[in-house]
Amino acid sequence: MTQTKCPDCGSPTKVVDDEEIYGVSYGRKAVVCSRFPGCNTYVGCHKDSVEPLGTLADRKTREMRRAAHNALDSHWRTPQQRRKAYALLSEHFGVPDFHIGTSNAEECEELCSLLATPKFRRSIAKALRKN
């Protein structure tokens, strides 16, 4: 579901071609604050859709989401392992359906710190080995 108000400034949002953000088209849409680029809050959309990949985010949150994805994505190789990794994170964060794309900067920072600990890395490796 598309957010209709910017979480940072409260302005309405709009759907745009990704070229408006990146200066080049990747053939996707994005949801942006109507004050963009003055308010630098946006989220990309799924391919061939206007369904957002997550929630609107400012620069810091987008950077932390990329860091969290980089930290997590090295732990799984198959879609089944990805589902298991996210299920483990759902349990850790106490939410039914954890997604990095809906996490705030602090949650992403916590995830990066968590994935840096040997204990949690072992627990992910063990969970991914189970059938």
Side-chain angles (χ1 to χ4, degrees):
M1 185 169 140
T2 302
Q3 289 172 276
T4 58
K5 281 193 171 187
C6 174
D8 289 343
C9 73
S11 295
T13 61
K14 62 182 180 176
V15 176
V16 299
D17 290 326
D18 59 359
E19 184 173 12
E20 189 169 325
I21 296 169
Y22 306 115
V24 63
S25 177
Y26 295 99
R28 293 189 179 215
K29 300 289 185 187
V31 178
V32 301
C33 175
S34 61
R35 291 184 53 239
F36 182 85
C39 179
N40 192 16
T41 302
Y42 63 87
V43 63
C45 293
H46 290 273
K47 187 173 181 163
D48 299 323
S49 172
V50 294
E51 179 187 347
L53 290 163
T55 55
L56 287 155
D58 60 15
R59 180 182 308 275
K60 178 183 176 188
T61 302
R62 290 191 307 273
E63 288 171 358
M64 291 307 302
R65 286 177 181 175
R66 278 191 290 277
H69 269 292
N70 289 339
L72 179 61
D73 290 352
S74 64
H75 291 278
W76 60 270
R77 301 279 185 263
T78 67
Q80 182 182 12
Q81 288 178 326
R82 182 181 185 273
R83 283 190 297 276
K84 286 181 179 181
Y86 274 90
L88 189 63
L89 292 171
S90 291
E91 184 179 312
H92 173 80
F93 283 100
V95 296
D97 197 18
F98 178 83
H99 289 285
I100 291 172
T102 58
S103 299
N104 62 35
E106 293 75 23
E107 290 165 335
C108 290
E109 189 171 356
E110 180 182 344
L111 174 57
C112 290
S113 296
L114 191 64
L115 289 168
T117 64
K119 181 179 178 182
F120 197 78
R121 283 199 312 266
R122 283 191 302 272
S123 68
I124 281 199
K126 183 179 178 182
L128 297 184
R129 284 194 301 268
K130 289 182 181 179
N131 290 327

